[in-house]
Amino acid sequence: MEEIINYPKHLAIIMDGNGRWAKKQGMMRIFGHESAMKAVRETVEYCVENHISYLTLYAFSTENWNRPAIEVNALMELLIKFLKKESKSLNENNIRLKTIGRLDHFPKKAKETLLETIDKLKDNTGITLTLALGYGAREELSTAVKNIAEAVKNGLISTENINESVINSYLYTSDLPDVDLLIRTSGEYRISNFLLWQIAYSELYFTDVLWPDFNKNHLNEAILNYQKRERRFGKTSEQLR
């Protein structure tokens, strides 16, 4: 692999293409989701090996509840299977696990397994792996607005003091830095309601590779591409130099 000097601190991935991958194999969609676990494992390993501090994976959106019940149920079982199978490895690699989104509608067993795993790994100090589950950026922002309005009503905040920092403190990701690099697999060119606030100045990278086929080499290509970009954050090239 070509040497990389500048790694993103926070990498986020929209893991897309499982269904199409399965269809190509003549299998049901859930087979694609099961096969995608290898890509998750390789991505986590890469982040550990290269000291990428934060990895956020879009695992299940608020809109995904609209999928057929048989697929949703299979995804919940797959989440439980993943957590139980990978818990030991995550712990051995000093990985902290967290989740963003709403777990209200999650089956009891899936929710309990997730929270138990998060608690088991809470004292780890390596990379932070965040699973976006029952997550939607518009819902996140709506919830933040409601909570800020309630705080104003109760005299905890004045409207004059509401700024980006205050808004950020009410988001699910309040303890995470903004995303440096957002990757979406499968050839789709959209954000799909993912981390809309947090990617304001992120670099975006789209690849035609379907998620189950995504591996360390593909991730390395994405990060090499990221390394060659000039992140100006509203400034000019001359100012940066």
Side-chain angles (χ1 to χ4, degrees):
M1 292 183 183
E2 186 177 338
E3 183 182 2
I4 295 176
I5 301 170
N6 177 34
Y7 285 93
K9 183 177 182 180
H10 187 177
L11 169 67
I13 303 179
I14 300 173
M15 307 178 292
D16 194 23
N18 296 345
R20 275 167 285 167
W21 186 90
K23 189 176 181 180
K24 282 187 174 183
Q25 318 297 320
M27 306 291 285
M28 294 178 63
R29 288 176 58 84
I30 190 58
F31 181 72
H33 296 307
E34 290 176 347
S35 300
M37 291 303 99
K38 181 176 181 291
V40 172
R41 193 175 300 110
E42 286 212 19
T43 300
V44 172
E45 288 175 356
Y46 183 98
C47 290
V48 171
E49 291 163 1
N50 296 286
H51 309 291
I52 294 174
S53 301
Y54 300 90
L55 172 64
T56 300
L57 302 176
Y58 204 7
F60 191 87
S61 72
T62 50
E63 292 77 19
N64 286 156
W65 289 115
N66 297 319
R67 291 189 174 185
I70 188 171
E71 182 174 350
V72 171
N73 292 336
L75 284 168
M76 294 299 113
E77 288 299 320
L78 193 57
L79 173 63
I80 294 170
K81 181 180 177 181
F82 170 78
L83 292 169
K84 288 185 174 180
K85 184 176 181 180
E86 301 297 332
S87 176
K88 182 179 179 182
S89 176
L90 293 173
N91 198 35
E92 289 174 347
N93 283 286
N94 196 27
I95 296 170
R96 181 172 73 107
L97 180 67
K98 68 169 285 168
T99 185
I100 54 174
R102 297 186 59 172
L103 302 179
D104 314 40
H105 303 300
F106 274 64
K108 183 180 178 182
K109 187 177 180 183
K111 185 176 179 179
E112 286 179 349
T113 304
L114 174 63
L115 296 179
E116 286 170 3
T117 307
I118 289 173
D119 185 65
K120 178 181 178 181
L121 305 175
K122 70 180 188 301
D123 295 325
N124 288 344
T125 57
I127 76 167
T128 296
L129 170 61
T130 302
L131 301 179
L133 294 163
Y135 176 86
R138 289 183 173 181
E139 187 278 327
E140 176 185 30
L141 291 167
S142 298
T143 299
V145 170
K146 289 176 186 176
N147 291 335
I148 292 171
E150 190 67 23
V152 171
K153 179 182 175 182
N154 293 329
L156 300 174
I157 306 174
S158 67
T159 54
E160 292 79 12
N161 291 330
I162 297 174
N163 55 27
E164 290 184 15
S165 179
V166 170
I167 294 171
N168 194 65
S169 70
Y170 278 84
L171 299 178
Y172 299 145
T173 56
S174 59
D175 61 339
L176 300 177
D178 284 344
V179 175
D180 296 302
L181 173 62
L182 172 67
I183 297 173
R184 180 168 188 152
T185 59
S186 87
E188 301 292 351
Y189 294 84
R190 56 178 177 270
I191 304 304
S192 297
N193 199 21
F194 185 47
L195 300 176
L196 298 180
W197 175 277
Q198 298 86 344
I199 64 169
Y201 276 100
S202 301
E203 295 299 321
L204 308 181
Y205 181 88
F206 301 96
T207 174
D208 290 334
V209 178
L210 300 175
W211 178 246
D213 289 328
F214 194 80
N215 58 38
K216 291 181 182 180
N217 288 327
H218 297 123
L219 180 51
N220 205 65
E221 288 173 11
I223 294 179
L224 279 169
N225 182 281
Y226 164 84
Q227 179 194 12
K228 295 170 184 175
R229 301 186 190 186
E230 183 180 68
R231 304 188 71 200
R232 296 191 296 275
F233 298 96
K235 296 181 180 180
T236 65
S237 297
E238 289 72 21
Q239 284 177 298
L240 293 177
R241 287 196 288 269

